């Protein structure tokens, strides 16, 4: 089969023929129809992000495809089913604290690297091998719709954060990083889950205005000034009431003061979800005041990805009409032009923009 292979950090993907994946018990083989190209994939391939990725590897975190072959432990899947392939692969021998690898992208730790030795190759290929539990049925879709369904991979990240925070209908949410790709997805997910109001701070006024255009008056925007105290007060004022949950998805390049300003808007007994990259590139720590956390009974959730059942629940949210995939503008490339896709994704990231490869 044809695949795009990363052979060394700092090099281009090599498009070549590789052996087809071999089916084992507890596994499913998928014919890949479409797969996301993350906007920062070039930083992973260059080594800039220092992701734990054992080379050579076929990259690509998850995707949309059709079942080609199933193992003996699959009782609901059928050959030909349209499915979403969840890249979050968990070890099966510790249900309480499983090791995790993101198939075709990165591992969390040494245990995740062990998983990566088997479930290493991702979706930049005509076929991929996936753990049975990571294959989620979509129901009937057309081949043309497969690209837009790749947005599940983006939407699942904030959805996992809000599940951890037990977001309830009618609550007020603040999304720190709302003008980015994952942050804008968080705005749409929070509204789909029933948030009464979403506070969206940022510096890009054009994107802030577009969020209001898309979602209406339930979105309240705040233009950030860079002054921590002033920005915090402006965000509180925009909420016009208690902020129940703060969700942070800021990238590594952002100052900790910007993140802290948003986090400390949360009400007493409120919840904070940390899913961003602050500190990953070094520099100062977040430095949240211990007395503020303790005296206000603040719950802080560090969340990496999402629980195993999240994908099926999110698919149901889309099928219900509460969460729309047609917000996403898609640019598609074939596998032979995978390097062009990576470059395009880096230059054209942002809210509701998605680059995909269609093997």
């Amino acid at each position: 089969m044809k695949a795009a292979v990363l052979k060394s950090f700092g090099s281009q993907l090599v498009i070549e023929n590789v052996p087809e994946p071999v089916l084992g018990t507890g596994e499913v083989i998928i014919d890949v129809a479409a797969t996301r190209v993350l906007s920062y994939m070039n930083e992973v391939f260059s080594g800039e992000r220092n992701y734990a990725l054992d080379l050579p590897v076929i990259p690509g975190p998850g995707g949309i495809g059709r079942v080609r072959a199933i193992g003996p432990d699959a009782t609901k899947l059928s050959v030909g089913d349209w499915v979403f392939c969840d890249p979050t692969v968990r070890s099966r021998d510790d249900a309480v604290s499983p090791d995790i690898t993101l198939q075709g992208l990165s591992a969390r730790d040494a245990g995740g690297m062990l998983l990566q030795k088997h479930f290493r190759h991702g979706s930049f290929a005509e076929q991929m091998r996936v753990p049975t539990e990571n294959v989620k049925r979509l129901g009937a879709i057309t081949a043309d719709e497969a690209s837009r369904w790749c947005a599940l991979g983006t939407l699942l990240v904030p959805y996992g954060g809000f599940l951890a925070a037990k977001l309830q209908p009618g609550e007020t949410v603040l999304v720190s990083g709302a003008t980015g790709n994952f942050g804008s997805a968080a705005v749409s997910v929070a509204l789909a889950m029933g948030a009464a109001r979403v506070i969206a701070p940022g510096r890009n006024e054009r994107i802030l205005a577009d969020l209001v255009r898309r979602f209406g008056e339930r979105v309240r925007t705040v233009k950030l000034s860079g002054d921590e105290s002033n920005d915090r007060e402006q965000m509180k004022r925009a909420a016009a009431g208690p902020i129940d949950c703060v969700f942070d998805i800021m990238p590594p390049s952002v100052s900790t003061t910007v993140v802290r300003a948003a986090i400390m808007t949360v009400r007493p007994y409120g919840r904070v979800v940390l899913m961003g990259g602050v500190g990953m590139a070094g520099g100062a720590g977040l430095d949240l005041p211990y007395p503020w956390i303790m005296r206000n009974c603040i719950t802080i959730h560090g969340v990496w990805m999402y629980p195993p059942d999240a994908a099926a629940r999110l698919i149901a949210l889309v099928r219900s009409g509460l969460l729309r995939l047609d917000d996403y503008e898609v640019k598609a490339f074939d596998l032979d032009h995978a390097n062009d896709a990576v470059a395009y994704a880096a230059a054209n990231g942002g809210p509701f923009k998605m680059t995909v490869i269609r093997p």
Side-chain angles (χ1 to χ4, degrees), residues 11 13 91 112 119 187 197 210 233 256 262 280 313 318 330 336:
S11 68
L13 296 170
S91 58
F119 291 112
V187 173
R197 185 174 295 120
D210 185 64
E233 291 309 309
T256 56
M280 289 177 63
R313 296 169 67 178
V318 173
V330 179
D336 286 329

Side-chain angles (χ1 to χ4, degrees), residues 274-289:
L274 303 180
M275 296 194 81
V278 168
M280 289 177 63
L286 189 52
D287 195 23
L288 291 172

Side-chain angles (χ1 to χ4, degrees), residues 252-264:
S253 58
V254 171
S255 166
T256 56
T257 59
V258 176
V259 177
R260 187 169 57 240
I263 288 173
M264 293 184 66

Side-chain angles (χ1 to χ4, degrees), residues 162-169 171-173 189-190 193-195 245 271:
F162 290 133
L163 288 177
K166 296 181 172 59
L167 179 63
Q168 300 299 307
E171 290 192 316
T172 294
V173 175
V189 169
M193 294 176 71
C245 177
R271 297 97 68 204

Side-chain angles (χ1 to χ4, degrees), residues 165 167 171-175 199 231-233 235-237 239 241-248 259-274 288-289 292-301:
L167 179 63
E171 290 192 316
T172 294
V173 175
L174 186 146
V175 176
I199 312 307
D231 286 343
R232 184 178 300 124
E233 291 309 309
M235 287 183 272
K236 287 182 177 180
R237 194 169 294 122
I243 296 173
D244 302 289
C245 177
V246 172
F247 173 89
D248 178 76
V259 177
R260 187 169 57 240
I263 288 173
M264 293 184 66
T265 63
V266 77
R267 65 168 171 81
Y269 299 91
R271 297 97 68 204
V272 174
V273 178
L274 303 180
L288 291 172
W292 173 78
I293 297 171
M294 180 267 291
R295 289 174 180 168
N296 290 288
C297 301
I298 304 299
T299 300
I300 298 177
H301 299 267

Side-chain angles (χ1 to χ4, degrees), residues 24-44:
T25 301
E27 298 170 355
V28 177
I29 304 296
I30 302 297
D31 287 324
V32 182
T35 178
R36 280 184 313 156
V37 182
L38 300 172
S39 62
Y40 57 84
M41 202 68 102
N42 62 325
E43 297 175 12
V44 176

Side-chain angles (χ1 to χ4, degrees), residues 15-319:
I15 314 302
E16 62 183 12
N17 287 318
V18 301
E20 293 183 356
V22 177
L23 182 69
T25 301
E27 298 170 355
V28 177
I29 304 296
I30 302 297
D31 287 324
V32 182
T35 178
R36 280 184 313 156
V37 182
L38 300 172
S39 62
Y40 57 84
M41 202 68 102
N42 62 325
E43 297 175 12
V44 176
F45 296 165
S46 70
E48 180 182 344
R49 289 224 170 193
N50 199 30
Y51 275 17
L53 193 57
D54 193 15
L55 305 182
V57 69
I58 300 169
I64 305 298
R66 304 192 78 169
V67 174
R68 183 183 186 89
I70 56 177
D73 59 338
T75 62
K76 300 293 196 308
L77 290 170
S78 299
V79 172
D81 281 349
W82 280 103
V83 294
F84 168 70
C85 301
D86 181 355
T88 309
V89 179
R90 298 169 176 83
S91 58
R92 293 163 168 165
D93 54 352
D94 187 345
V96 176
S97 303
D99 288 309
I100 294 177
T101 193
L102 300 183
Q103 190 172 3
L105 185 63
S106 182
R108 184 174 63 186
D109 49 26
M113 290 298 289
L114 283 176
L115 274 178
Q116 199 179 101
K117 290 184 179 300
H118 185 68
F119 291 112
R120 65 189 288 107
H121 294 307
S123 52
F124 286 15
E126 292 178 322
Q127 298 175 27
M128 67 183 299
R129 178 178 58 196
V130 185
T132 304
E133 64 269 25
N134 285 53
V135 179
K136 314 297 185 181
R137 291 182 297 169
L138 294 175
I141 67 170
T142 66
D144 289 341
E145 291 172 330
S147 294
R148 190 158 276 113
W149 276 93
C150 287
L152 288 176
T154 300
L155 294 161
L156 269 167
V157 173
Y159 186 57
F162 290 133
L163 288 177
K166 296 181 172 59
L167 179 63
Q168 300 299 307
E171 290 192 316
T172 294
V173 175
L174 186 146
V175 176
S176 173
T179 57
N181 190 17
F182 285 102
S184 60
V187 173
S188 64
V189 169
L191 293 170
M193 294 176 71
R197 185 174 295 120
V198 176
I199 312 307
R203 297 182 185 232
N204 190 317
E205 292 182 276
R206 179 185 60 81
I207 295 177
L208 293 174
D210 185 64
L211 289 171
V212 175
R213 180 189 65 80
R214 289 175 185 272
F215 301 113
E217 294 182 355
R218 290 165 69 196
V219 176
R220 304 284 180 85
T221 63
V222 177
K223 177 69 163 58
L224 295 177
S225 67
D227 180 279
E228 182 177 348
S229 296
N230 178 68
D231 286 343
R232 184 178 300 124
E233 291 309 309
Q234 292 298 323
M235 287 183 272
K236 287 182 177 180
R237 194 169 294 122
I243 296 173
D244 302 289
C245 177
V246 172
F247 173 89
D248 178 76
I249 193 72
M250 285 289 198
S253 58
V254 171
S255 166
T256 56
T257 59
V258 176
V259 177
R260 187 169 57 240
I263 288 173
M264 293 184 66
T265 63
V266 77
R267 65 168 171 81
Y269 299 91
R271 297 97 68 204
V272 174
V273 178
L274 303 180
M275 296 194 81
V278 168
M280 289 177 63
L286 189 52
D287 195 23
L288 291 172
Y290 188 111
W292 173 78
I293 297 171
M294 180 267 291
R295 289 174 180 168
N296 290 288
C297 301
I298 304 299
T299 300
I300 298 177
H301 299 267
V303 184
W304 195 48
M305 306 307 284
Y306 39 82
D309 65 340
R313 296 169 67 178
L314 189 69
I315 290 166
L317 205 58
V318 173
R319 287 298 191 188

